[in-house]
Amino acid sequence: MKPGIRVYATTGLAVLAFAVVPLRLGAQSAPQVARSADGVVVAAQPLAAAAGARMLELGGNAADAAVAAAFAISVVEPSMNSIGGRNQILIRTPDGGVAGIDGTTSVPLGYDPTTAPRAAYGYPTVGVPGSVAGLMRLHEEYGSLPLTTIMAPAIDYAAHGFRLLPGEARRQAGSRDQVAESEGARRYYLKADGSPYRPGDRLVQSDMAATLRAISLGGGDAFYRGEIAGRIADDMAANGGFLTREALAAYEAEDSRIVRGSYRGFEIVGSDIPASGAIAILALQIAEVFDPDSMSDEAWASVIAQSLALAMTEYRRDGSDSSAVRVTSKAFARELSGQVRVPAEATMEAGGGPWASAGAGNSWLGAVAGLALPPEDGHTTHLSAADGNGMAIALTQTIGPGMGAKVATPGLGFLYAVTLGGYLGISEPGERARSGITPFMVLDDGEPLLVLGAAGGIRIISAVVQAVTRVVDDGLALPAALAAPRVHPDMGPDGLAGFSVEAGPEDGWSGTSVEEFREMGFEISPTPRQGAFGRIHGLQYDAATRTWIGAADPDWEGAAVAPRPAVPTRGG
């Protein structure tokens, strides 16, 4: 165990440290840790997690739970995601197989990047929504319950309302001026006097309920080819948007390219471009070259930050099969590891002896020069779901920056994602929005160990990587791993400028640690803002007891919910 790690568990997964993973925000009393042999659902809002767990109680599987939670989270956390957005889904089937679904937004057919306006929000930024198609495919291919049953909680939350948590109210208020420019968005997310909803206010979304009800009865066709599609297209045409009926009808959720690697004997699995699973695999395989037990916690964190920075040089690579093979190869990771600076006393994991100044003679900063990454807004939502039969789902859903494009079609009730206008650097018709989204799994001899993903822009990748290392290298149970402080590389115009460190008053790096980082020669930016380093909602599996452990990130308002045990019938 490395010095500096706060150890909460003493007997592996059996001790989960419930008492030491409190809900720091004080916004609601939902538990952030749950365990059950029958599965667990973890999401960024308690009502969404409860919707998923309800499907498990009704006899559904993890796919049913994930679809229910995903539709519900689009209602109760609209600042972070929407049915007008995009998703990436990673599936572990009961027989041990892994598959993926790409529900990413795309550039509409007929879009001309040479004449289209460059915009940060508004109708010209709206691409083809993929969330509904991704969820429909997950249900059709892997689900077991009727769609009307699965979507009932989301419809109920929209029709009858729910009380806004403080974080959601704050995010909605932060986009008030831009939201006010859209007739639809103004109607749905501002009060009659133009003021934003406050924490504890009840938000009723009748039009959203009607849209969800139509999807529950008509499936994907109701959204992409029916009346809803017509209203979307008409609204776009009237307000300078590029989304058409033809583009909606042509959209399909695709198979994700599954990428695999290994980290200290565990198999690591993710989704490739337009997701960033290969980048997370590369970062972990670079870090694997080094021995964390030979250095302080701060020194090891610096290795992680550098490994992430070097891996992110591959963010803009092409999406070919050969590229994926190269980036996830051990040989490529070892090649890049020569750029990492480590303390003189540290050693390579492979027993290569002292590895001081590993980057001597190499351009460590130059390795990431000119790298352009998407903005580090703390957007997106992630949920994880598992059942008692071995199925597990990691699902990330987003609309881009807070409140997305900040427009909504009157009568439909949902926001659209930002896709066009330069935000994601895409422009060709049919092209899909590349992002830091990283649904991820760690497998132990085929059995799941971790099922996770994160929210938080490009910091999703660093959050996922560090959660894995905290569990695998530090031996922490997942709840404690999520509470441990993180780092993230800071990219400047000339390359790696240093790295940011989580420096919150309760669980961040101490002032002593920050000084130690600086003594290593790094430019350090302490960041106290909660949730700034990604928010993970994940699962850990204890194979010895055949129990799932769900953990919500303590920097957010999420929850982990297990299905309630079935009540025996009288005489049963």
Side-chain angles (χ1 to χ4, degrees):
M1 198 69 64
K2 304 193 304 298
I5 294 292
R6 295 166 296 116
V7 181
Y8 298 132
T10 58
T11 57
L13 302 184
V15 179
L16 295 175
F18 290 83
V20 296
V21 189
L23 180 63
R24 294 203 293 255
L25 299 177
Q28 37 86 9
S29 58
Q32 294 202 293
V33 180
R35 65 178 294 156
S36 170
D38 298 322
V40 178
V41 181
V42 193
Q45 214 274 6
L47 291 174
R54 178 60 179 152
M55 298 306 112
L56 299 179
E57 293 170 357
L58 292 173
N61 61 24
D64 299 318
V67 173
F71 275 115
I73 199 77
S74 72
V75 174
V76 299
E77 199 186 31
S79 66
M80 297 282 97
N81 78 117
S82 167
I83 61 172
R86 50 186 170 267
N87 53 31
Q88 283 280 338
I89 308 167
L90 192 63
I91 305 124
R92 195 263 185 187
T93 57
D95 62 3
V98 177
I101 296 171
D102 172 10
T104 303
T105 52
S106 65
V107 179
L109 303 174
Y111 179 79
D112 185 352
T114 62
T115 59
R118 305 283 288 184
Y121 66 95
Y123 283 92
T125 69
V126 177
V128 187
S131 289
V132 172
L135 297 179
M136 289 300 98
R137 186 170 175 190
L138 178 60
H139 172 255
E140 291 163 5
E141 296 184 7
Y142 299 95
S144 62
L145 295 175
L147 186 60
T148 51
T149 299
I150 291 170
M151 294 186 64
I155 294 169
D156 181 69
Y157 296 155
H160 298 105
F162 65 97
R163 298 202 178 276
L164 282 180
L165 296 180
E168 178 63 23
R170 182 173 61 252
R171 292 188 296 274
Q172 291 189 22
S175 297
R176 177 183 60 183
D177 292 345
Q178 295 88 353
V179 164
E181 298 175 23
S182 162
E183 177 190 347
R186 181 173 65 249
R187 178 192 303 179
Y188 301 129
Y189 300 106
L190 296 177
K191 297 179 181 179
D193 64 359
S195 64
Y197 288 89
R198 298 175 59 83
D201 285 348
R202 181 173 290 275
L203 180 62
V204 176
Q205 302 170 83
S206 300
D207 288 350
M208 177 69 155
T211 297
L212 292 173
R213 193 173 293 111
I215 295 170
S216 76
L217 296 172
D221 282 348
F223 185 87
Y224 290 97
R225 295 173 181 85
E227 180 184 350
I228 294 171
R231 297 179 76 166
I232 291 172
D234 291 345
D235 186 39
M236 294 291 156
N239 290 281
F242 299 98
L243 185 52
T244 64
R245 289 173 182 260
E246 292 75 19
L248 285 162
Y251 185 88
E252 293 183 0
E254 299 178 346
D255 291 338
S256 299
R257 178 187 289 112
I258 301 300
V259 285
R260 301 172 186 265
S262 67
Y263 185 70
R264 308 205 195 280
F266 295 97
E267 185 177 13
I268 47 180
V269 185
S271 303
D272 198 22
I273 293 171
S276 290
I279 304 299
I281 289 171
L282 177 56
L284 285 165
Q285 292 186 158
I286 294 171
E288 186 185 29
V289 172
F290 305 95
D291 178 12
D293 291 330
S294 70
M295 61 187 85
S296 70
D297 195 30
E298 291 79 6
W300 175 240
S302 77
V303 169
I304 294 297
Q306 294 172 78
S307 298
L308 285 162
L310 290 164
M312 288 177 183
T313 63
E314 296 295 321
Y315 186 86
R316 296 294 184 193
R317 78 184 203 283
D318 71 83
S320 65
D321 289 339
S322 59
S323 173
V325 170
R326 175 182 62 84
V327 167
T328 57
S329 71
K330 293 283 189 176
F332 186 59
R334 180 166 285 274
E335 177 186 336
L336 289 182
S337 72
Q339 303 279 340
V340 176
R341 292 188 346 216
V342 295
E345 68 274 13
T347 59
M348 295 177 68
E349 178 67 19
W355 196 244
S357 301
N362 294 314
S363 176
W364 178 67
L365 294 178
V368 290
L371 176 64
L373 293 177
E376 294 184 357
D377 296 328
H379 53 71
T380 306
T381 198
H382 179 84
L383 62 92
S384 299
D387 60 34
N389 295 317
M391 180 183 284
I393 309 291
L395 189 156
T396 310
Q397 196 158 271
T398 188
I399 50 175
M403 305 297 281
K406 300 171 179 64
V407 297
T409 297
L412 295 184
F414 60 86
L415 294 164
Y416 297 99
V418 171
T419 298
L420 312 175
Y423 167 70
L424 293 168
I426 65 174
S427 58
E428 298 303 319
E431 189 176 359
R432 300 206 168 198
R434 187 175 303 196
S435 73
I437 288 175
T438 309
F440 208 70
M441 295 186 185
V442 179
L443 307 177
D444 184 4
D445 291 331
E447 291 284 344
L449 174 65
L450 295 175
V451 176
L452 70 168
I458 198 64
R459 295 190 181 198
I460 289 170
I461 304 169
S462 56
V464 167
V465 165
Q466 287 166 92
V468 172
T469 63
R470 292 293 190 182
V471 172
V472 173
D473 293 317
D474 302 335
L476 296 182
L478 184 60
L482 300 190
R486 301 172 191 154
V487 298
H488 178 76
D490 290 334
M491 305 297 192
D494 299 321
L496 186 63
F499 54 93
S500 297
V501 300
E502 191 172 16
E506 297 181 16
D507 291 305
W509 295 97
S510 68
T512 301
S513 294
V514 172
E515 288 308 309
E516 184 172 337
F517 287 132
R518 288 176 173 147
E519 289 171 4
M520 296 176 198
F522 299 106
E523 293 293 328
I524 300 300
S525 301
T527 306
R529 184 164 56 90
Q530 284 187 331
F533 288 79
R535 291 93 56 193
I536 288 178
H537 294 87
L539 300 162
Q540 187 171 19
Y541 185 65
D542 183 350
T545 62
R546 304 187 67 82
T547 301
W548 287 101
I549 302 100
D553 199 295
D555 271 351
W556 211 245
E557 296 168 316
V561 181
R564 294 167 295 184
V567 178
T569 58
R570 180 174 298 179

